[in-house]
Amino acid sequence: MQLIANSVKLSRTAKMGLLSRKASCNTHGQDSSYFLGWQEYEKNPFDEVHNPKGIIQMGLAENQLSFDLMESWLDKNPHAAGFKGSDGKSIFRQLALFQDYHGLPDFKKALVEFMSEIRGNKVTFDPNHLVLTAGATSANETLIFCLAEPGDAILIPTPYYPGFDRDLKWRTGVEIVPIQCTSSNDFQITKTALEEAYEEAYKRNLRVKGVLVTNPSNPLGTTMTRNELNLLVDFINTKGIHLISDEIYSGTVFCSPSFLSIMEILKDRNYHDGSEVWNRVHVVYSLSKDLGLPGFRVGAIYSPNDTVVAAATKMSSFGLVSSQTQYLLSALLGDKKFTKNYISKNQKRLKQQQRKLVLGLQKAGIRCLKSNAGLFCWVNMSHLLQFNTFEA
């Protein structure tokens, strides 16, 4: 029996030895309550008729409000979806062949113009500083690879998107140190919170390489104030570190205050191309939320830093956006009349849905943080606690 047990043990060890540490370790972040909740939902999904006691999926930020606008455009522009040029001839073969990882020039131009339009054309973006990626997940991880080494730290304000524990840490080996924000000031970033997070990283022997913020916030559904953004610029300037601004919800701001991009702050403060701070600020964007196209896997890094752009472009070959997708979306985003109408109508629909949800929760005795953007509602259920303690 001992012989058999040893044989089984050796067999398991041998199998583990055939895999990398990355494959066999448990540091992928998917054992968090966020991903465990997904698993429970998949086992028992809610259905109003067939399974009314099932689990309702409330952990997925998908914008399905304006598919009708998208489908209407496709009906009116069959040449784009049919991969035909302006002369009506098929360009399928051209698109099907290999494209280099810099992306189609027409698409990059259309995308940066759309990004500017969302920001009220207060800032412009240079297509040469844009790197295409397979979604914002890939964009964020690629930036971390460019900016930090395994064992370095990135500071992130709380509460943050729980997927970051997987997206930013698993393959890069970088640590997340929380910037502890509180409900007392509606979770706004303070200088004290920034310094305390930096000091915490120092105590853990972690070298801080940057701060990552989501603006508008996932999961708060709020936009960052000018004061907070200026505070961040001052902080990274003083510490000599980077700032990543994840702005994938920038087109979902449905009421005041309006969206303020970190690039607008740099412009207002006269940070010019080539300056130290200018080169250490990077923007992440995606069409997954604003256009409701997560399945298209279109993300982007915008960085004024030539070295970061060159490195990220090389890395993007591991997660390219298909030429067919780029061609279709360059036609769609190039239709300025459509994009203007889409942004306006989508924001109105988001406002209506948010109001409906907030009023419904109020009737159930649940208050919410006042929000103005995104696909989120941050609820306060503290009155349901049995004891008013942190543990409870």
Side-chain angles (χ1 to χ4, degrees):
M1 288 297 287
Q2 185 64 39
L3 206 64
I4 293 170
N6 286 338
S7 176
V8 170
K9 189 176 179 181
L10 283 169
S11 176
R12 284 178 182 161
T13 305
K15 284 180 180 177
M16 291 293 285
L18 290 173
L19 299 175
S20 70
R21 261 189 251 169
K22 196 69 71 183
S24 55
C25 71
N26 196 30
T27 59
H28 45 64
Q30 289 202 206
D31 54 353
S32 68
S33 56
Y34 175 69
F35 289 109
L36 291 174
W38 268 76
Q39 291 172 24
E40 292 305 309
Y41 163 75
E42 287 165 359
K43 291 177 198 171
N44 184 27
F46 169 84
D47 184 275
E48 193 171 0
V49 177
H50 303 294
N51 191 21
K53 292 187 177 181
I55 295 171
I56 297 173
Q57 170 58 285
M58 295 186 74
L60 180 61
E62 275 188 343
N63 180 6
Q64 300 183 18
L65 293 177
S66 300
F67 278 153
D68 61 314
L69 303 179
M70 204 77 65
E71 288 165 341
S72 175
W73 185 90
L74 289 169
D75 287 341
K76 294 172 184 174
N77 297 272
H79 67 282
F83 306 122
K84 292 181 180 178
S86 55
D87 58 2
K89 292 182 179 178
S90 173
I91 58 167
F92 174 77
R93 292 188 184 189
Q94 180 185 334
L95 294 171
L97 294 173
F98 177 77
Q99 301 284 345
D100 80 38
Y101 44 55
H102 290 87
L104 300 181
D106 286 350
F107 175 61
K108 292 178 78 171
K109 179 176 180 292
L111 182 57
V112 295
E113 288 176 355
F114 183 65
M115 290 167 65
S116 295
E117 185 179 5
I118 285 172
R119 290 157 180 78
N121 292 309
K122 294 174 182 175
V123 289
T124 57
F125 298 90
D126 180 354
N128 295 315
H129 286 273
L130 190 80
V131 181
L132 299 178
T133 63
T137 298
S138 176
N140 277 312
E141 188 193 48
T142 298
L143 267 179
I144 299 300
F145 271 125
C146 289
L147 306 182
E149 301 287 350
D152 288 343
I154 297 291
L155 310 182
I156 304 183
T158 61
Y160 62 77
Y161 165 54
F164 281 154
D165 289 322
R166 175 201 61 186
D167 301 350
L168 307 183
K169 293 170 57 177
W170 182 33
R171 299 200 299 181
T172 66
V174 168
E175 293 295 323
I176 291 175
V177 176
I179 301 166
Q180 299 293 352
C181 302
T182 66
S183 59
S184 60
N185 70 342
D186 294 336
F187 301 97
Q188 289 190 23
I189 298 170
T190 63
K191 184 177 181 180
T192 301
L194 284 168
E195 292 292 350
E196 286 177 351
Y198 194 88
E199 185 62 27
E200 175 63 23
Y202 179 78
K203 288 177 184 175
R204 292 168 54 185
N205 293 316
L206 299 171
R207 181 175 58 164
V208 176
K209 295 304 292 288
V211 180
L212 186 151
V213 296
T214 57
N215 181 31
S217 167
N218 172 358
L220 296 175
T222 55
T223 48
M224 295 184 72
T225 64
R226 184 176 291 273
N227 180 59
E228 287 177 282
L229 292 168
N230 277 316
L231 192 64
L232 285 168
V233 171
D234 291 339
F235 182 73
I236 68 158
N237 189 23
T238 303
K239 304 297 185 186
I241 59 177
H242 295 268
L243 173 61
I244 300 172
S245 182
D246 185 334
E247 300 183 357
I248 68 170
Y249 292 96
S250 51
T252 67
V253 181
F254 50 79
C255 63
S256 62
S258 58
F259 174 67
L260 188 59
S261 171
I262 190 64
M263 300 307 291
E264 192 176 337
I265 294 293
L266 295 182
K267 180 185 174 184
D268 291 348
R269 293 181 59 160
N270 294 317
Y271 282 112
H272 57 82
D273 190 3
S275 69
E276 271 296 306
V277 172
W278 180 263
N279 278 327
R280 286 191 268 110
V281 175
H282 321 275
V283 173
V284 166
Y285 186 60
S286 164
L287 297 179
S288 296
K289 311 302 181 181
D290 290 349
L291 288 186
L293 300 174
F296 277 44
R297 307 311 305 143
V298 179
I301 295 165
Y302 187 82
S303 175
N305 190 311
D306 290 332
T307 306
V308 169
V309 169
T313 301
K314 295 182 183 79
M315 289 183 193
S316 71
S317 63
F318 297 102
L320 295 172
V321 182
S322 77
S323 301
Q324 293 85 350
T325 298
Q326 291 184 56
Y327 177 76
L328 170 61
L329 292 178
S330 64
L332 184 141
L333 295 179
D335 186 339
K336 304 303 180 189
K337 185 178 179 182
F338 167 78
T339 55
K340 186 176 181 180
N341 179 60
Y342 179 92
I343 292 168
S344 175
K345 283 193 173 180
N346 186 56
Q347 289 171 345
K348 286 177 182 175
R349 292 175 182 184
L350 283 168
K351 185 176 182 178
Q352 289 168 356
Q353 289 293 95
Q354 188 260 8
R355 179 172 170 77
K356 189 187 295 184
L357 179 60
V358 169
L359 289 175
L361 287 168
Q362 282 179 355
K363 287 177 182 176
I366 297 171
R367 292 179 294 111
C368 307
L369 180 71
K370 186 178 180 182
S371 60
N372 66 317
L375 315 175
F376 311 98
C377 191
W378 186 257
V379 299
N380 183 351
M381 293 187 173
S382 58
H383 65 287
L384 300 175
L385 293 174
Q386 197 168 2
F387 303 102
N388 191 24
T389 64
F390 181 79
E391 288 74 19

